[in-house]
Amino acid sequence: MVHITRRERFSSAHKLENKNLTFKENCDTFGACYNVHGHNYELFVTVKGEVNNKTGFVTNLKDLKKILNTYIISKLDHQVINEVSFMKNKIASTENVCIAIWDELYEQVKNKLNCELFCVKVLETENNIFEYFGEK
Ligand code: NI
């Protein structure tokens, strides 16, 4: 079993807000992050699988790159995360971004890449890093 990680980058804006809270509760909870602001995010997607004898690959990275661009990066890059289709009605935290990316990719990886999604990791800043391994 080999794990492979592909890195992508995206730049997006977000606003941390719970629409069920009052203005004051949102300010108290999210502080400056209640304002729209942006990050240069890095996304690391790790898949795992057995090496195919015919190709020497677990999966073709070209195909993983294409799936990431089609289903994730093209939807997030230079957008407001709160308005992205797979983030609708969710708080636009990086925790929730990780889970949403996992949910978007899981079946794609399984069906099109013949391997298994292992981890979705998002760096929001160089100091704040989020990882999701699915619900085990
Ligand atoms: Ni932020």
Side-chain angles (χ1 to χ4, degrees):
M1 184 80 71
V2 177
H3 292 69
I4 305 176
T5 302
R6 168 83 194 170
R7 180 182 71 159
E8 298 289 343
R9 293 188 246 225
F10 59 97
S11 299
S12 311
H14 75 163
K15 171 184 183 169
L16 295 183
E17 175 183 31
N18 181 338
K19 289 185 172 162
N20 297 318
L21 299 181
T22 64
F23 176 79
K24 185 178 181 306
E25 286 170 330
N26 272 298
C27 289
D28 290 347
T29 305
F30 300 114
C33 296
Y34 186 42
N35 299 318
V36 178
H37 63 280
H39 298 281
N40 295 315
Y41 294 88
E42 285 187 80
L43 167 66
F44 294 84
V45 171
T46 304
V47 299
K48 67 173 184 180
E50 300 296 341
V51 176
N52 180 315
N53 283 332
K54 197 174 84 183
T55 60
F57 293 162
V58 167
T59 192
N60 194 321
L61 276 168
K62 185 165 60 86
D63 299 330
L64 176 57
K65 179 184 172 184
K66 194 173 161 193
I67 285 171
L68 293 179
N69 278 302
T70 304
Y71 295 97
I72 308 298
I73 302 302
S74 66
K75 296 184 180 177
L76 286 170
D77 193 37
H78 288 71
Q79 302 293 330
V80 179
I81 290 174
N82 305 61
E83 295 167 7
V84 168
S85 56
F86 58 73
M87 290 300 297
K88 283 272 165 68
N89 302 316
K90 295 173 184 166
I91 297 171
S93 65
T94 307
E95 288 89 332
N96 283 338
V97 170
C98 273
I99 295 170
I101 290 174
W102 175 282
D103 289 342
E104 291 299 297
L105 288 178
Y106 191 81
E107 291 296 321
Q108 296 289 339
V109 169
K110 200 171 168 184
N111 298 332
K112 294 185 182 163
L113 300 182
N114 242 338
C115 56
E116 199 186 330
L117 187 57
F118 178 71
C119 178
V120 171
K121 173 169 153 180
V122 178
L123 277 73
E124 185 182 68
T125 68
E126 62 187 21
N127 297 322
N128 296 337
I129 300 160
F130 303 76
E131 289 175 288
Y132 186 61
F133 295 89
E135 299 299 335
K136 295 279 170 10

